[in-house]
Amino acid sequence: MMKKLVSMLLMLSVMLILTANPGQAAAVPKLFLNGNALASDVEPRLVNNYTMVPIAVVAGGLGYQVSWDQATKSASIHNGQTQMTLTVGKSTALVNGQQVKLEAPPMIDKGRTMLPLRFVGSQLGLDVQWDNVSKSVHMKEQNPSQPGEGGGNPSLPPASGQIQGITYDGISRFSIDYDGVISPNAMLVLTGPDRLVLDLPNTSFGSLFEPGTPSGEASYEVDGHPALSGIRYSAHADKPVRIVFDLSLPTTYEVTQSNGQLNIDVKYPEPGAVPSPGPDSGGNKIYKVVIDAGHGGKDPGAISITKRQEKEFNLAVALKIKALLDKEPRIQPYMTRSNDTFVELADRANFANNLGADLFLSIHANSFRPDVTGVETYYNRESSRAFADVMHKHLVKATGLPDRKVRQANFAVIRRTTMPAILIEAGYLSNRHDDSVLAKEEVRDRIAKEMVDGMKSYLKLS
């Protein structure tokens, strides 16, 4: 964690040292972290009096977890505590699930994605000072931990938020009512046993909080939820408030926050997800395959030239694939969504990983210039390449559209999954011919059939 923080501090400080003249390139400054000299050869840019830093600095030079979604033109940054998502041209960002206004929106400049330094720096808690005499940047962690002090658990700053109650609606939603300010960390998805863990830094229990005690630990069982068996929470002076959702099987979740209330929706698993399939009657392995219908809910995806939404095409094809796989005795299908709902990219990958899936297929349609036409199949890791090659041949056959080849990409759902995982782009909705082809029911049926045939071929079941 310390290494990641050092890297991030390095990036952020570089961004502050630009000269006042936006037409001149700034010399790389001397950088110091907690008094120790650092080095960097990546220069920021001054755009409209705001310092912008290339995303490559965050990903490479700073060592943070960074993902880039080409479809939405958005960058996600995670430092172990803070999760940020910034979108090119958008004046707000998501920080731990909350909308936060930006002073300058991210942009693409000469092919490089640039992020606003001041925002990133403030969210990651950096103390950065510029020494004009020595032309150097001095960076300090605001609360650096010291080895051997406090057993590795330094005391938190005074609590800025107080929990006044935790309620359950009896279906899927837990609501945390609070006063003040609460900034939850990103949800942790853990296994052995399965559970969701949410930490709330700088938070305490209010004196009127019931049930349970204002400090210590409390828990209760949950009845009626197919995946959630109980909830536990604790608060200690040297740790954040921690809320644990105990699961009887892996599932997804959604966290929302507004007007003094933090809501955690623990989703129902897909029908048939439990019990996990064992061997068939002949003792053969049953393969678990996750079908991911891209986009959904508030995220429509691409809009076709005839104003159709990509999310509808993705779901329609995904449901057809599942229906065909339901008839296969040695393949058990699972879906990341089976209706028009929004599922976070991380949740889609976590769902597949927690299931121990054997294959992951994400369904999409593309959009670009009106003259671009054809199909593409994307993979991330080399271990997914063979699966991509097989499925792509079947995709070309199903659509009859031009072959735009198998390609490597960094899409989150195929990068974060641990099994062979691919993402297909079945055509370009921005192209009139592709749009008309993908709108046909018989074409969607063919795509579904060929995807199933491709899986069977790859798994050597045909």
Side-chain angles (χ1 to χ4, degrees), residues 97-299:
Q98 288 187 291
Q99 291 278 352
V100 179
K101 186 173 178 58
L102 295 170
E103 293 178 336
M107 61 181 292
I108 296 179
D109 184 20
K110 297 181 181 178
R112 305 190 73 183
T113 303
M114 312 293 287
L115 306 180
L117 167 65
R118 182 179 298 180
F119 174 81
V120 178
S122 64
Q123 294 299 327
L124 294 172
L126 304 174
D127 181 8
V128 183
Q129 295 183 355
W130 168 242
D131 186 338
N132 195 50
V133 176
S134 62
K135 305 300 181 187
S136 61
V137 179
H138 292 265
M139 300 164 290
K140 293 182 181 179
E141 301 169 71
Q142 291 185 355
N143 291 293
S145 58
Q146 299 297 326
E149 293 185 7
N153 290 318
S155 297
L156 295 171
S160 59
Q162 284 196 331
I163 296 175
Q164 303 300 340
I166 299 178
T167 57
Y168 176 49
D169 69 357
I171 302 175
S172 64
R173 170 168 288 192
F174 283 85
S175 297
I176 300 173
D177 295 304
Y178 64 88
D179 293 331
V181 177
I182 287 181
S183 298
N185 289 346
M187 182 81 81
L188 298 176
V189 181
L190 303 177
T191 59
D194 294 315
R195 60 203 187 278
L196 304 174
V197 178
L198 184 66
D199 285 339
L200 306 175
N202 307 334
T203 302
S204 64
F205 287 127
S207 59
L208 299 179
F209 177 77
E210 292 182 1
T213 59
S215 63
E217 300 182 356
S219 64
Y220 62 87
E221 295 182 354
V222 174
D223 294 324
H225 195 290
L228 182 63
S229 59
I231 179 175
R232 297 176 280 134
Y233 49 86
S234 63
H236 301 282
D238 61 342
K239 296 180 180 179
V241 168
R242 167 162 287 189
I243 301 175
V244 179
F245 301 89
D246 291 315
L247 304 176
S248 56
L249 61 136
T251 190
T252 58
Y253 66 91
E254 183 175 5
V255 178
T256 56
Q257 187 173 11
S258 64
N259 300 323
Q261 189 172 79
L262 181 67
N263 297 311
I264 302 96
D265 287 286
V266 181
K267 303 298 182 66
Y268 280 39
E270 292 296 327
V274 182
S276 295
D280 67 5
S281 57
N284 297 311
K285 175 179 178 177
I286 295 180
Y287 295 94
K288 292 179 282 188
V289 174
V290 171
I291 310 301
D292 174 44
H295 306 285
K298 64 183 181 182
D299 177 13

Side-chain angles (χ1 to χ4, degrees), residues 75-91:
S76 294
I77 305 171
H78 190 9
N79 72 345
Q81 293 183 337
T82 301
Q83 174 83 41
M84 293 182 285
T85 301
L86 303 91
T87 303
V88 170
K90 191 172 182 179
S91 59

